[in-house]
Amino acid sequence: LAGLRLIAREPLLRWLAALVFLGVGIGQLLYNQQAVIAREGFDTAEARTAYYAGIDIAVNMLTLLVQLLATRWLLSRFGLAPVILIPMAALLLGFAMLTASPLPIVVAIVQVVTRSNEFSLMKPGRETIYTRVDRQWRYKAGAAIDTAFFRGGELTFSWTYRALAAFGSQVVFGFGLLMASLMTVSAWRLLREEKKLPEAGEGKD
């Protein structure tokens, strides 16, 4: 409850919570609709299993490469902006492609790029914010975001997906594109608030 009060009071925490909530929700939409498209696109369970396995392998490989070669360099050279905005641009482009052409190969590409971006860029970027704030923000607000907003996003968008699924893939992905746009606005506002924080190592205890 103390964490939720902090989130309600502090703009940076509100935008961070919104980013997590919408990110989880968009992932939920994509994950659920992927299963529908895979059932329609592949005749056998074996083919669907191979499809999912290929996505998982590609996500892991791309995540590892980006973490090894780009994440630290981007954060140290340019700060938080690129590790937040690059995934946002990929998300907008990906859902625009899915809305126009919800084919299995397009779903696979968008899944690989968006999931690897979350693991290798977005999450490390968000975590750096907590190194520059006091303990109340770090442990109370951080815990509230990781529980209430993360799980709340899963629950909210699970029911939202049920309502949208009857209208087909393009409606689901069109709604996802709208949510990705809102998420991009949240990311932009988060970066504006983040600039007001002290540099790493100068935060409060």
Side-chain angles (χ1 to χ4, degrees), residues 178-198:
L178 175 60
M179 294 301 101
S181 300
L182 293 176
M183 190 177 174
T184 303
V185 172
S186 299
W188 187 259
R189 296 299 298 270
L190 173 69
L191 291 171
R192 289 181 60 183
E193 294 296 328
E194 178 264 343
K195 290 180 180 178
K196 302 174 185 177
L197 293 176

Side-chain angles (χ1 to χ4, degrees), residues 34-77:
Q34 170 192 263
V36 174
I37 291 172
R39 284 197 301 269
E40 294 173 350
F42 301 98
D43 295 329
T44 65
E46 290 79 7
R48 291 190 291 272
T49 299
Y51 173 71
Y52 294 137
I55 290 174
D56 287 341
I57 291 170
V59 168
N60 291 331
M61 291 179 63
L62 184 57
T63 299
L64 182 61
L65 284 173
V66 173
Q67 285 182 331
L68 288 174
L69 302 177
T71 305
R72 184 175 181 275
W73 178 75
L74 286 171
L75 280 169
S76 61
R77 180 82 179 263

Side-chain angles (χ1 to χ4, degrees), residues 2 16 23 78 81 95 113 144 146 167 183:
L16 187 58
F78 302 105
F95 269 83
V113 172
D146 290 341
F167 299 99
M183 190 177 174

Side-chain angles (χ1 to χ4, degrees), residues 152-172:
E154 287 186 332
L155 181 62
T156 300
F157 281 85
S158 290
W159 285 102
T160 302
Y161 173 77
R162 288 171 181 259
L164 294 172
F167 299 99
S169 294
Q170 289 182 309
V171 171
V172 171

Side-chain angles (χ1 to χ4, degrees), residues 58-172:
V59 168
N60 291 331
M61 291 179 63
L62 184 57
T63 299
L64 182 61
L65 284 173
V66 173
Q67 285 182 331
L68 288 174
L69 302 177
T71 305
R72 184 175 181 275
W73 178 75
L74 286 171
L75 280 169
S76 61
R77 180 82 179 263
F78 302 105
L80 187 61
V83 301
I84 297 294
L85 295 180
I86 289 172
M88 291 299 95
L91 197 63
L92 288 169
L93 178 60
F95 269 83
M97 292 169 57
L98 287 170
T99 303
S101 181
L103 299 173
I105 184 61
V106 180
V107 172
I109 292 170
V110 175
Q111 273 278 35
V112 169
V113 172
T114 57
R115 285 173 57 191
S116 66
N117 278 341
E118 168 62 22
F119 298 141
S120 62
L121 295 175
M122 285 288 289
K123 186 171 175 59
R126 290 197 306 267
E127 293 300 319
T128 64
I129 293 175
Y130 291 120
T131 67
R132 300 163 61 191
V133 298
D134 64 30
R135 290 179 179 178
Q136 297 291 316
W137 288 32
R138 191 179 309 155
Y139 297 116
K140 293 182 178 179
I145 290 170
D146 290 341
T147 53
F149 286 89
F150 190 95
R151 298 304 175 190
E154 287 186 332
L155 181 62
T156 300
F157 281 85
S158 290
W159 285 102
T160 302
Y161 173 77
R162 288 171 181 259
L164 294 172
F167 299 99
S169 294
Q170 289 182 309
V171 171
V172 171

